[in-house]
Amino acid sequence: MRRIFTSEKVIAIALLSVISAHLLVLTNIVFFPYPELFVYPYLVSKGLLPYKQIFDQHFPGLMFFPINLFTLGMKSSQASFVLHLLIVAVNHMLLFVVARKYFGSNIKAILSNLVYFLWHPFLEGYVLWIDSFMPIFFLSAFYLLLKKDYIRSPALGIITGLILGLATVFKQTTAPLFLFLFIYFLIKKMYKFSQYFVIGFMLPLTLMFVYFFKIGVVKDFFYWTVTFNVTTFAEMGRKFPSLFDLVKAGWVFGPAFLLVLINFWRKKIDEKFLLLILFFSGSLAFIYARFDFVHLQPVLVFLPLFIVQIITLIPKRVVYISLILYLLFSLYLLIPFYRWASNKRTFFFGDYENRIAEKVREYANGRDTVFAFGTTFHLYFLTDTLPPGRLFVFQFPWFMVEAEKKILQGIIIDPPKVVIRDKKSEVQGMNLVEYMPKINLYIERYYKVVDNVEGIEIMLRN
């Protein structure tokens, strides 16, 4: 077996087979592209200012800069699905390179890719969100730090820091990983390397702040990404795991924690394993605010390295029995998931959304403003229209507590041609319209229902 996997051609075929099988599975299950990835870049392309006119708590990434997902060509759900598949394929290739460097074995590198394939769809790998991009950054940084001579390379310090700085521009929850690594470098007395690491990390963040200063949104940026996150969102927007969520996550990631305990007990914590622990634990920060499986995607790419390692520690006489038992319980989790997921539906871009968009086009055009009230928040992207007052926010309760007054003022100053209202829409058991009482009173007073799409009211001004 080992001789076979010394052939580069065989390795390439094996890796390509795993990637192809993974992509084939993804093309035959549901697809959930977050609406934010469409409406934010679209509104920025129309001249709306991030954080000042588009209220959001995330760092900009590819949503809030002039060069964004919309300007780069993601103008349909089909384009987003192609991007989704491309990200997964790149993750596989990076994981193979990292695993081969980590283990020094082609077989273990292929096994690592199989483990990633096994759990990626289950952990909401059918979702395209900011977290989907993060493994590319994290695997790249981890690979550079696996080089034995990285400590003496200022260039690697800058590049590694730069990669994590770019990752932070995508999502601020990268900061704990940066901090863990920085402390690790200081403990190892790698003072010069840590300086270069910080320089690289700060470069993209500095450019981000320079751009925000230029367009005059620095104060708004700090409010929504810092103040709002630690106050209103922390109180209202947190999502805690259910007991079954913990069971599922515990089964998937349990081997990683088990291996850490075993190696600490055996006192076999070498430098590369310690780096793996740092990347693994730092990536767990992504589930701090809201426990959704998609937020485990950044840490998932490191799980195969733990599982493949623990397989090698199991005595040969019980390794097959252990794998069979592991796979049997895994099937208990995977079979119900695939029964649910195998309908090939694309969320937010189905017949329902198309009919709403078509109704809006009957009453409004690209020169008009419309107001999505509690429903289909990416309606502006779908209909090539703008929100009233050129102000936009996803109408979750934790946002509307802060933004209702501004949104209402935009509606009064710039009355929308069409209002689309869903009185029953909820998030985490909270009715959206009930958290916008002033807006609802205004709409009730000045607008009337003229049409209906599956309970969604189409309203025009009296």
Side-chain angles (χ1 to χ4, degrees):
M1 179 65 74
R2 290 182 179 177
R3 287 184 179 181
I4 292 174
F5 276 87
T6 57
S7 168
E8 291 295 329
K9 186 175 181 180
V10 171
I11 296 166
I13 292 172
L15 179 60
L16 183 61
S17 298
V18 175
I19 296 174
S20 299
H22 193 163
L23 300 187
L24 181 62
V25 167
L26 292 176
T27 58
N28 285 280
I29 62 174
V30 296
F31 178 48
F32 188 113
Y34 266 63
E36 289 93 324
L37 297 177
F38 297 90
V39 67
Y40 288 162
Y42 164 77
L43 292 175
V44 168
S45 75
K46 293 293 185 179
L48 274 68
L49 295 175
Y51 310 109
K52 188 179 287 289
Q53 293 174 297
I54 306 169
F55 309 132
D56 186 71
Q57 69 197 105
H58 298 96
F59 271 36
L62 286 174
M63 297 188 294
F64 291 133
F65 288 126
I67 298 175
N68 55 52
L69 290 170
F70 185 82
T71 60
L72 290 172
M74 202 181 87
K75 300 180 180 181
S76 67
S77 61
Q78 294 83 359
S80 69
F81 186 61
V82 172
L83 174 62
H84 179 57
L85 296 181
L86 181 61
I87 290 171
V88 173
V90 171
N91 287 345
H92 266 293
M93 290 184 281
L94 286 173
L95 176 58
F96 177 82
V97 172
V98 166
R100 184 160 65 172
K101 182 75 173 176
Y102 188 89
F103 294 115
S105 166
N106 291 322
I107 297 176
K108 291 179 181 179
I110 295 296
L111 283 175
S112 298
N113 276 264
L114 285 171
V115 173
Y116 178 64
F117 174 25
L118 176 68
W119 290 119
H120 172 265
F122 176 75
L123 292 176
E124 296 185 1
Y126 55 86
V127 174
L128 180 64
W129 181 225
I130 302 170
D131 306 76
S132 307
F133 296 88
M134 307 313 293
I136 295 175
F137 298 110
F138 290 178
L139 286 172
S140 299
F142 184 63
Y143 176 78
L144 292 176
L145 294 180
L146 284 177
K147 293 180 176 292
K148 292 181 179 179
D149 60 343
Y150 78 91
I151 189 173
R152 293 186 296 273
S153 174
L156 282 182
I158 291 174
I159 294 171
T160 306
L162 179 64
I163 291 170
L164 293 181
L166 287 171
T168 307
V169 169
F170 272 68
K171 201 161 185 177
Q172 57 265 50
T173 41
T174 300
L177 173 58
F178 164 77
L179 185 61
F180 288 170
L181 290 172
F182 178 66
I183 293 172
Y184 171 70
F185 297 146
L186 291 181
I187 291 173
K188 290 195 65 179
K189 299 182 179 180
M190 298 165 53
Y191 302 123
K192 183 164 286 190
F193 184 88
S194 63
Q195 290 174 7
Y196 290 117
F197 180 64
V198 171
I199 290 170
F201 179 78
M202 291 304 300
L203 181 59
L205 294 172
T206 301
L207 293 175
M208 177 186 75
F209 283 119
V210 168
Y211 172 70
F212 286 157
F213 181 80
K214 181 180 178 182
I215 64 175
V217 302
V218 171
K219 183 178 178 181
D220 306 276
F221 168 79
F222 272 107
Y223 175 77
W224 287 106
T225 62
V226 180
T227 306
F228 172 77
N229 274 334
V230 300
T231 54
T232 304
F233 181 76
E235 295 172 4
M236 299 179 64
R238 285 191 183 281
K239 182 180 178 183
F240 296 98
S242 67
L243 178 60
F244 193 44
D245 287 337
L246 290 175
V247 170
K248 290 188 284 188
W251 180 256
V252 176
F253 290 99
F257 293 102
L258 179 60
L259 182 64
V260 172
L261 291 174
I262 290 173
N263 279 356
F264 268 103
W265 179 67
R266 299 169 66 203
K267 297 182 180 179
K268 288 192 174 183
I269 306 293
D270 59 15
E271 184 176 350
K272 66 179 182 180
F273 187 70
L274 187 54
L275 282 171
L276 178 59
I277 292 174
L278 292 174
F279 273 85
F280 185 86
S281 55
S283 301
L284 286 173
F286 282 73
I287 60 169
Y288 170 71
R290 290 179 64 80
F291 191 95
D292 290 308
F293 283 157
V294 68
H295 301 314
L296 289 168
Q297 287 295 320
V299 72
L300 174 62
V301 290
F302 297 105
L303 175 68
L305 303 180
F306 287 97
I307 290 183
V308 172
Q309 274 185 275
I310 208 166
I311 289 173
T312 61
L313 292 177
I314 299 173
K316 290 185 178 180
R317 62 181 179 275
V318 296
V319 67
Y320 294 111
I321 296 175
S322 301
L323 286 175
I324 290 171
L325 291 175
Y326 180 78
L327 290 173
L328 283 176
F329 190 79
S330 298
L331 287 174
Y332 173 76
L333 298 176
L334 291 170
I335 289 173
F337 162 74
Y338 280 109
R339 283 177 179 167
W340 167 81
S342 60
N343 60 17
K344 298 181 68 173
R345 171 190 174 192
T346 298
F347 285 83
F348 311 114
F349 289 90
D351 179 64
Y352 166 75
E353 288 82 9
N354 289 335
R355 281 188 289 141
I356 293 175
E358 190 59 37
K359 283 292 181 182
V360 170
R361 293 191 196 99
E362 290 181 14
Y363 299 103
N365 57 45
R367 294 185 299 275
D368 299 315
T369 59
V370 302
F371 183 56
F373 189 18
T375 182
T376 320
F377 302 126
H378 61 312
L379 180 74
Y380 311 103
F381 169 83
L382 294 173
T383 58
D384 194 25
T385 55
L386 288 174
R390 296 174 68 86
L391 296 173
F392 176 82
V393 66
F394 269 79
Q395 295 162 10
F396 301 137
W398 44 89
F399 279 127
M400 297 316 298
V401 166
E402 302 288 338
E404 183 187 15
K405 185 177 180 180
K406 290 182 179 179
I407 297 298
L408 177 58
Q409 191 65 28
I411 293 172
I412 294 171
I413 294 172
D414 181 19
K417 181 77 174 290
V418 185
V419 173
I420 306 91
R421 181 173 68 177
D422 182 1
K423 291 182 177 180
K424 298 180 180 179
S425 59
E426 292 185 351
V427 172
Q428 294 181 204
M430 295 178 280
N431 183 278
L432 300 188
V433 173
E434 289 179 2
Y435 274 86
M436 296 177 273
K438 295 176 183 178
I439 293 175
N440 195 42
L441 282 174
Y442 182 90
I443 297 300
E444 288 279 5
R445 182 176 180 180
Y446 293 105
Y447 287 80
K448 62 183 178 181
V449 178
V450 298
D451 214 329
N452 191 291
V453 179
E454 294 186 22
I456 306 302
E457 298 170 330
I458 311 297
M459 308 177 75
L460 296 180
R461 196 170 178 86
N462 295 332

